[in-house]
Amino acid sequence: MSYRVLARKWRPLTFEDLVGQEHVTQTLVNSLLKERLHHAYLFTGTRGVGKTTVARILAKSLNCLLKITPKPCGKCEACLAIDEGRFVDLIEVDAASRTKVEQTRELLENVLYAPTNGRYKVYLIDEVHMLSTSSFNALLKTLEEPPDHVKFLLATTESSKIPVTVLSRCLQFNLKAISINDIQKQLIKISNEEGFDIGSSSLLPLAVAARGSMRDALSLLDQAISFSGGAVTDAVLNNMLGVIDKNNLLRMIKALAQGDGVELIKEVNLLDELSPDYFKTLDEFMVILQKIAVLQLIDSDQDDAVNELNDLAHVLSKEDVQLYYQIALNGLRDLSSCIDVRSGFEMTLLRMLAFRPAESNIDKNSELSLKKKLKSSTDKAIDSSEVSNKDESILSGLNASGMAKLLVDNSNIVSVSNEKIELIISDKNSHLSKPEVIKSLELSLKEKFKNSFRVIVSIGNTSQTNTDKKNEEDDKVNSAAKAAILSDPNIKAIEDEFDAIIESDSIKPN
Ligand SMILES: [Zn+2]
């Protein structure tokens, strides 16, 4: 016997088997029990949620030879014939392939004739929104005065495209996207009954990837079983689905928030090692941005997973989030015309880095100048060009990390004595003069020289720091990257759309 795909093999045959659509089945079961039957039903919902499945079960309920029942026997000739798709009085039509009015008329001409074997003649019209206007008119005439022996079961993914006149003559049922939890449970149940080796895998990645469609979930399970060639693990599933580590994406957004191009590209390289599906990755990226945008509005503190998003929601401005989302959306559209999708993905992120809404820039600038004013009135500025007694080597080869390392790299030495080192940093790095940073540097010095130094940091004009030197070296390479960004045809469009300006300093090469 040939292999039957899981989605067909496990297609629900009764209302009870149907997962996640209780709100629909309950109504249908009640009306069948009371035999309060309508002549036209419309089932709406996205793909793979069970629209035609519900319709077929309903057809069985109406035609089971025993009686009209929400629990068709599944054994009589009518039930078996419907399950096997060979029941003469269930006429299944795919409207997508029969849009012409002649075809619809031809179909409806037979409506008048009584059913051959069944109690009712059931017309199941799938993707009914595809019918032409004149076809809908023909259908409407029949719906207005249907013979008693006829039932119409219509299914569609796009109910908005159905004329109101038709809608008003149907009993409408909206099937929901099936929850991840429901899909996961069903996948585990089927795997156990089929004897699949799923080990300790939760099958969660499949349930998530199915996006509410049980049919897709089962197709993915089929694929996973052949792909794994043995035990299915979450790692295998992630690999198959090209699922990316969410933390990776969060780190990218963090790098964007900090305007850190080097870090951003580092994360893209890390991601690339997993040969991800860049379409899905960008899609996932947008999902995270959307969540951040929501958090910025409702400001909720929930579990740990949300905490990281919360942090980003506070760091990023609302305008930035909107802009990133729009750039990602444009990027997603363009990605299909990229020969090298990785570059397309990277370019999309670089665009985000290069743009900030003009308004938020003005805010930052005015904030900065205000800070400068406050500083200059309180601090006595020291000009590092006057510094003597330089001992550059004292800070080199120091085992400092994090902020302490930044302090070393962004400062000039003012003076060094046996117990004291005076440093100067520029105003924009004033956050590095915090006591805990200084403490950390003092500890590093003690470790190296076995001698306690007191570190004093002042704010003032710095001359070439380590960072400046490094930047100068990088500049040459950067200008090539900038040229690439600035000549990007998408740049102009985004500039216009968002009234954005290019922060060319934020462009960093790969
Ligand atoms: Zn039956």
Side-chain angles (χ1 to χ4, degrees):
M1 197 180 137
S2 62
Y3 179 73
R4 263 203 303 163
V5 295
L6 291 173
R8 287 193 61 188
K9 187 171 174 188
W10 288 89
R11 183 193 270 273
L13 297 177
T14 66
F15 287 124
E16 284 157 358
D17 291 345
L18 207 75
V19 173
Q21 308 296 356
E22 290 75 13
H23 63 296
V24 169
T25 52
Q26 198 182 337
T27 316
L28 289 174
V29 165
N30 287 339
S31 64
L32 284 164
L33 281 175
K34 292 176 186 159
E35 293 199 21
R36 288 169 61 101
L37 303 169
H38 206 269
H39 62 271
Y41 296 80
L42 173 66
F43 300 102
T44 63
T46 55
R47 45 194 284 280
V49 292
K51 296 181 298 293
T52 50
T53 302
V54 175
R56 281 190 199 140
I57 300 172
L58 181 56
K60 243 179 350 183
S61 299
L62 294 167
N63 276 313
C64 178
L65 292 182
L66 300 182
K67 58 175 179 178
I68 294 177
T69 168
K71 290 185 182 176
C73 72
K75 292 183 185 110
C76 70
E77 182 48 31
C79 284
L80 288 174
I82 292 175
D83 283 344
E84 287 162 19
R86 54 174 176 79
F87 190 62
V88 283
D89 293 315
L90 172 60
I91 300 109
E92 290 199 34
V93 180
D94 180 8
S97 60
R98 300 180 62 137
T99 54
K100 285 187 189 146
V101 67
E102 297 78 29
Q103 292 168 325
T104 312
R105 283 214 187 98
E106 191 187 303
L107 185 76
L108 297 174
E109 266 168 21
N110 293 317
V111 162
L112 295 172
Y113 302 111
T116 316
N117 297 325
R119 199 173 288 119
Y120 292 103
K121 201 168 200 166
V122 180
Y123 285 85
L124 200 176
I125 308 179
D126 198 11
E127 298 301 348
V128 66
H129 65 271
M130 298 289 283
L131 290 180
S132 64
T133 310
S134 34
S135 291
F136 269 125
N137 286 336
L139 176 64
L140 187 61
K141 266 192 194 133
T142 315
L143 285 178
E144 278 167 349
E145 286 174 72
D148 285 342
H149 62 260
V150 169
K151 299 288 175 204
F152 283 96
L153 312 183
L154 313 178
T156 180
T157 45
E158 294 177 65
S159 59
S160 61
K161 289 188 181 165
I162 297 174
V164 188
T165 43
V166 172
L167 281 179
S168 68
R169 294 187 186 275
C170 298
L171 211 54
Q172 200 170 326
F173 293 92
N174 186 21
L175 279 76
K176 293 188 289 195
I178 305 165
S179 75
I180 291 172
N181 195 14
D182 280 346
I183 293 181
Q184 189 187 6
K185 272 196 242 162
Q186 183 73 356
L187 287 178
I188 290 174
K189 183 185 154 205
I190 290 175
S191 298
N192 288 336
E193 294 200 22
E194 289 280 339
F196 295 147
D197 181 6
I198 57 166
S200 60
S201 168
S202 60
L203 299 183
L204 185 63
L206 292 182
V208 173
R211 295 199 160 201
S213 161
M214 191 61 86
R215 186 170 61 217
D216 286 5
L218 291 177
S219 302
L220 287 171
L221 181 60
D222 260 329
Q223 197 185 332
I225 298 300
S226 357
F227 182 85
S228 68
V232 175
T233 62
D234 281 357
V236 165
L237 294 181
N238 284 337
N239 189 3
M240 179 190 97
L241 296 166
V243 171
I244 20 78
D245 179 6
K246 277 219 178 61
N247 292 323
N248 195 202
L249 295 183
L250 287 172
R251 288 195 298 269
M252 284 182 195
I253 298 179
K254 200 168 164 193
L256 279 172
Q258 294 169 339
D260 189 342
V262 174
E263 189 63 26
L264 185 65
I265 297 303
K266 201 179 98 190
E267 288 299 332
V268 177
N269 289 336
L270 275 176
L271 176 76
D272 196 55
E273 286 171 15
L274 305 169
S275 341
D277 176 338
Y278 281 104
F279 288 88
K280 269 191 200 149
T281 308
L282 203 50
D283 203 35
E284 195 61 41
F285 196 89
M286 288 168 69
V287 171
I288 296 178
L289 286 173
Q290 181 266 337
K291 284 182 182 160
I292 292 174
V294 171
L295 283 173
Q296 286 178 328
L297 282 181
I298 58 171
D299 201 31
S300 77
D301 289 295
Q302 291 159 4
D303 53 317
D304 288 346
V306 178
N307 263 344
E308 283 208 292
L309 288 182
N310 253 330
D311 291 345
L312 288 170
H314 285 117
V315 177
L316 288 164
S317 75
K318 285 178 188 167
E319 293 82 6
D320 280 349
V321 177
Q322 294 301 326
L323 178 72
Y324 293 162
Y325 190 90
Q326 188 61 41
I327 293 176
L329 191 66
N330 289 346
L332 199 59
R333 234 170 9 221
D334 294 349
L335 218 52
S336 47
S337 40
C338 288
I339 294 167
D340 176 3
V341 281
R342 182 226 147 108
S343 304
F345 177 81
E346 193 172 291
M347 202 63 185
T348 305
L349 294 185
L350 287 177
R351 250 175 240 148
M352 294 181 195
L353 192 66
F355 287 108
R356 293 271 168 89
E359 204 186 334
S360 71
N361 251 331
I362 293 163
D363 284 352
K364 272 175 206 153
N365 290 341
S366 59
E367 202 183 323
L368 202 65
S369 62
L370 185 66
K371 258 193 203 162
K372 266 185 189 156
K373 268 184 208 160
L374 289 172
K375 274 274 180 241
S376 61
S377 61
T378 51
D379 293 340
K380 183 172 158 270
I382 303 168
D383 193 338
S384 65
S385 58
E386 295 164 7
V387 169
S388 56
N389 284 342
K390 269 192 195 173
D391 189 354
E392 297 275 354
S393 64
I394 193 163
L395 293 181
S396 62
L398 209 57
N399 186 23
S401 62
M403 300 278 267
K405 172 92 168 66
L406 284 176
L407 177 57
V408 170
D409 285 345
N410 287 287
S411 61
N412 296 135
I413 299 172
V414 180
S415 70
V416 178
S417 69
N418 284 338
E419 75 281 358
K420 196 169 78 176
I421 298 176
E422 275 189 77
L423 300 175
I424 184 167
I425 55 174
S426 66
D427 182 61
K428 70 171 181 180
N429 289 316
S430 59
H431 61 282
L432 296 173
S433 65
K434 284 183 195 156
E436 62 266 28
V437 182
I438 293 173
K439 189 89 202 156
S440 161
L441 182 56
E442 286 174 347
L443 282 172
S444 302
L445 285 163
K446 190 171 182 184
E447 197 182 302
K448 184 181 175 189
F449 298 103
K450 314 291 174 221
N451 185 16
S452 290
F453 284 95
R454 199 151 65 84
V455 174
I456 295 168
V457 180
S458 350
I459 314 281
N461 298 325
T462 51
S463 57
Q464 203 183 40
T465 63
N466 286 347
T467 303
D468 294 336
K469 276 179 220 161
K470 189 177 175 303
N471 285 347
E472 212 166 85
E473 287 158 20
D474 287 349
D475 262 0
K476 243 190 195 167
V477 200
N478 281 349
S479 49
K482 281 174 196 170
I485 283 277
L486 296 174
S487 61
D488 182 351
N490 279 301
I491 293 288
K492 188 72 193 142
I494 297 168
E495 269 185 303
D496 293 346
E497 197 166 337
F498 282 95
D499 192 20
I501 55 166
I502 301 173
E503 286 196 338
S504 60
D505 287 348
S506 64
I507 305 169
K508 294 283 190 294
N510 182 354

